[in-house]
Amino acid sequence: DQQVKQNSPSLSVQEGRISILNCDYTNSMFDYFLWYKKYPAEGPTFLISISSIKDKNEDGRFTVFLNKSAKHLSLHIVPSQPGDSAVYFCAASARDNAGNMLTFGGGTRLMVKP
Amino acid sequence: NAGVMQNPRHLVRRRGQEARLRCSPMKGHSHVYWYRQLPEEGLKFMVYLQKENIIDESGMPKERFSAEFPKEGPSILRIQQVVRGDSAAYFCASSREMTNQPQHFGDGTRLSIL
């Protein structure tokens, strides 16, 4: 049972344009959401997070939107740069966890073309 | 990557041998998590530890796998009598002792079973 889903395995975007990566979840107990970027042979790098008390969080070129009623979050990258090409994972944690155990989506491979 | 140190980066074992993976958390972090990534999949939670305590091991296989985080030294993920299906990338993450804090990941150990 996949509680966090990224339905697009890949996305191709032109440099300078907006990249929108989507993520859906099913567990209504999730209250903290994160996006990670991963290059081959490296660990995931934390990008941005959002708590369920907010619907938007912005950090430079990265903005995360949370729609709790739809159980959907998205990551916007604008403008996209070739160095953004990587696999992006969304992750979520639930308030009833003993700790902040993360449940990950399957990832979306972003390719930004120069 | 973000100060979490994992070693070795690559580990090759023959079936039936033992594998030991080490993780030193970021300075100031007291929570350690282990995740496993199988080929073409997202990361899956295995175990969450604090110093000398296993807090949540709900993602650990019931047999052959164990983890510890001693008072001194790194966290260890131990796999006994390895099988081909154990081949994967194993990532360690750490976080501060507060809720809703992002986890920061190491670059992982790639375990290959011959």
Side-chain angles (χ1 to χ4, degrees):
Chain A
D1 176 32
Q2 263 192 298
Q3 297 187 65
V4 179
K5 284 185 183 178
Q6 293 175 255
N7 291 318
S8 298
S10 64
L11 174 67
S12 184
V13 170
Q14 201 69 35
E15 180 180 7
R17 307 294 289 266
I18 185 171
S19 295
I20 300 176
L21 297 104
N22 293 304
C23 180
D24 297 295
Y25 62 95
T26 57
N27 187 343
S28 58
M29 298 298 287
F30 286 148
D31 66 342
Y32 183 56
F33 304 88
L34 310 91
W35 284 94
Y36 287 85
K37 176 169 79 170
K38 188 178 180 303
Y39 294 118
E42 293 185 11
T45 299
F46 169 71
L47 281 174
I48 192 168
S49 63
I50 187 166
S51 166
S52 60
I53 61 173
K54 293 185 171 183
D55 54 20
K56 177 183 174 182
N57 190 24
E58 194 171 351
D59 184 0
R61 296 186 298 116
F62 302 94
T63 303
V64 56
F65 295 91
L66 175 62
N67 182 334
K68 288 183 288 294
S69 61
K71 294 192 176 67
H72 177 83
L73 66 154
S74 61
L75 175 68
H76 292 210
I77 306 173
V78 55
S80 302
Q81 300 172 354
D84 295 331
S85 298
V87 178
Y88 289 77
F89 292 97
C90 68
S93 68
R95 65 181 75 92
D96 62 348
N97 283 346
N100 289 334
M101 172 190 110
L102 294 178
T103 301
F104 281 84
T108 296
R109 184 177 303 277
L110 174 65
M111 292 162 283
V112 180
K113 295 178 286 188
Chain B
N1 188 2
V4 177
M5 303 301 295
Q6 288 189 250
N7 66 82
R9 292 294 310 276
H10 301 274
L11 183 61
V12 179
R13 286 286 178 266
R14 296 189 180 279
R15 281 177 293 173
Q17 291 184 320
E18 179 180 287
R20 280 181 172 245
L21 289 63
R22 288 176 291 277
C23 168
S24 296
M26 277 181 72
K27 188 175 180 181
H29 286 190
S30 57
H31 296 208
V32 167
Y33 308 80
W34 286 92
Y35 294 83
R36 176 165 68 174
Q37 184 182 26
L38 296 171
E40 306 303 321
E41 293 187 13
L43 283 77
K44 297 282 196 296
F45 168 78
M46 298 181 76
V47 61
Y48 159 46
L49 310 105
Q50 296 177 20
K51 285 283 187 184
E52 300 184 281
N53 281 307
I54 297 174
I55 308 301
D56 181 352
E57 57 181 347
S58 59
M60 288 277 268
K62 295 285 183 277
E63 297 176 346
R64 303 186 297 107
F65 285 71
S66 62
E68 62 176 6
F69 189 15
K71 188 176 180 181
E72 301 290 337
S75 175
I76 306 286
L77 179 67
R78 182 181 176 208
I79 311 171
Q80 295 178 288
Q81 299 173 339
V82 296
V83 301
R84 287 256 169 87
D86 297 333
S87 295
Y90 292 82
F91 292 98
C92 170
S94 70
S95 71
R96 293 184 184 279
E97 192 176 344
M98 286 178 278
T99 57
N100 287 356
Q101 288 294 306
Q103 294 177 23
H104 295 274
F105 284 79
D107 281 337
T109 295
R110 274 134 191 95
L111 175 64
S112 299
I113 309 301
L114 301 179

